[in-house]
Amino acid sequence: MNVEVVRRYLGASDVDTAPAATTVQLFGDVSRAPTGLRARLLRPLVFRDALLALGACVRSELHVDDVELAERILDPVVTVTADACYIEALSLDASTYARASLYGDAFSDRAHLHPGTTNVEFTPRLVAGLERIRSGTPTSLDVLAGGIELEVAGQVTTETRVTLPDAWVEGFARVQEALARPQRALDLHPGDLVDVLAYLRGRRAQTSPRSLRVELVPGAPPAFVVEPWEERFELARSRHDAAAAETIRLWGRRRLLLLERVLPHTRRVHARLEGSGRASFWRCDLGDSEFLLATSGWSARDWPGRPGDGALDVLFDPRGARRVARPLLPE
């Protein structure tokens, strides 16, 4: 069974670039409960690259047929709480989940409009506007409140209809779950990971195996081996928690290239691996923000998966990932 969902927006999400200031405008779905936030971004380049990485995830697809592709919904979800602002989305093929989390220290001049959750449009104009953000220009984020009460005379709304598969609904709900399940933990230096991704970007394997092989030995730094070339990277500035020698193979490894945008801003990458051919989670610590990339076991296995297959069983709790030094919104 498919569910027809109506989305109404007061305008198309965009970046308003004025000579003295830049405003990122994310228009919410007016058919949902009001949600909104207005605040100045203290590190606009971090925000820019986290949103562009999320946008790249939204548009990415490695394995989905044309009919199903046409049914996918592309609107990211924004959640505003008293502590943070979360922007999250699935990829076109639903095998990758991304979330940009902005905590209280990422903002100044915060105004409390409406905590809540809404869809926002991620338009080509928004992407182009984000690319124009520079560090020297004051930049603000406006999550423009949705809600029927905002539809006033002369206000033009944009309405779109999408067919939302039940599996997508279930998968997106399950990806929000935070279940305490054992995972292998890696604490990675971003520079170590940059070297691996640069090698991956320049090559496409024509023969098997095509995994990213993670080799863990107690007392030694982790090593990533790119198959089938057997190119080995010793991650000298990184560490892991394996108590015995262990090898984990990750498939659909090119999805990790979505991290490239945020790695220059990243302090550490906290990776969690469920095991060979299973889900992996890559949390980039950006200081006052973070970017999370979650990949299913392989690119042909989307996040909805099958109950009990492990694809969606573990994800970080967005409110428990770190202690917030300062609330996002005034008391």
Side-chain angles (χ1 to χ4, degrees):
M1 180 180 69
N2 290 330
V3 179
E4 188 178 69
V5 178
V6 179
R7 300 277 185 244
R8 294 187 180 92
Y9 298 101
L10 291 174
S13 295
D14 198 358
V15 176
D16 181 13
T17 305
T22 297
T23 302
V24 179
Q25 297 176 325
L26 302 180
F27 281 90
D29 175 13
V30 301
S31 63
R32 303 188 64 160
T35 301
L37 167 70
R38 178 171 291 121
R40 180 173 173 178
L41 296 160
L42 295 177
R43 300 167 67 206
L45 297 190
V46 175
F47 173 82
R48 176 197 68 186
D49 290 338
L51 263 289
L52 287 173
L54 185 137
C57 175
V58 169
R59 299 188 302 274
S60 68
E61 65 89 10
L62 298 176
H63 187 278
V64 62
D65 61 63
D66 292 339
V67 174
E68 190 173 4
L69 186 61
E71 296 180 343
R72 300 288 188 182
I73 184 169
L74 305 182
D75 300 337
V77 171
V78 173
T79 300
V80 175
T81 75
D83 300 322
C85 177
Y86 307 105
I87 308 173
E88 55 194 329
L90 284 171
S91 61
L92 278 170
D93 61 8
S95 74
T96 311
Y97 168 87
R99 184 181 73 232
S101 303
L102 291 86
Y103 300 107
D105 292 341
F107 298 100
S108 66
D109 304 325
R110 297 175 299 278
H112 180 183
L113 299 180
H114 292 284
T117 299
T118 187
N119 295 87
V120 298
E121 283 195 295
F122 210 107
T123 64
R125 287 174 56 189
L126 176 61
V127 173
L130 289 170
E131 293 277 10
R132 295 193 301 268
I133 291 177
R134 297 294 181 264
S135 60
T137 304
T139 303
S140 297
L141 170 65
D142 280 4
V143 180
L144 300 177
I148 299 301
E149 72 275 11
L150 294 180
E151 297 190 56
V152 297
Q155 184 83 61
V156 177
T157 66
T158 301
E159 178 177 312
T160 60
R161 292 177 181 270
V162 296
T163 303
L164 197 59
D166 282 352
W168 194 94
V169 176
E170 179 184 356
F172 204 84
R174 292 180 68 201
V175 84
Q176 308 309 310
E177 297 174 0
L179 303 179
R181 183 167 170 171
Q183 302 171 58
R184 180 60 59 230
L186 284 72
D187 181 26
L188 306 177
H189 189 284
D192 288 345
L193 194 54
V194 163
D195 293 339
V196 179
L197 297 185
Y199 186 87
L200 276 175
R201 180 167 288 284
R203 291 163 180 79
R204 283 188 177 272
Q206 302 300 319
T207 59
S208 295
R210 298 188 180 95
S211 78
L212 179 64
R213 195 168 76 236
V214 180
E215 297 183 349
L216 307 175
V217 176
F224 284 8
V225 181
V226 184
E227 300 176 331
W229 303 284
E230 291 299 304
E231 184 70 19
R232 183 181 181 85
F233 294 86
E234 296 279 355
L235 308 187
R237 294 167 289 182
S238 304
R239 54 186 182 268
H240 62 87
D241 68 351
E246 184 177 2
T247 297
I248 298 174
R249 281 183 164 86
L250 304 178
W251 280 272
R253 63 196 181 189
R254 293 189 67 82
R255 292 173 291 175
L256 297 182
L257 294 174
L258 294 168
L259 295 173
E260 285 184 313
R261 270 279 187 178
V262 297
L263 285 179
H265 309 291
T266 298
R267 298 178 176 181
R268 302 293 290 187
V269 179
H270 304 290
R272 300 292 183 270
L273 313 180
E274 287 196 305
S276 292
R278 297 178 70 84
S280 65
F281 307 90
W282 309 78
R283 184 167 60 88
C284 297
D285 179 1
L286 308 176
D288 52 20
S289 308
E290 72 174 31
F291 183 81
L292 171 65
L293 188 76
T295 66
S296 61
W298 58 92
S299 54
R301 167 64 59 82
D302 62 19
W303 272 112
R306 296 184 301 274
D309 67 4
L312 280 175
D313 287 343
V314 182
L315 199 62
F316 297 107
D317 181 348
R319 301 192 185 194
R322 79 188 277 274
R323 181 180 295 277
V324 179
R326 181 158 57 96
L328 171 66
L329 301 172
E331 297 295 336

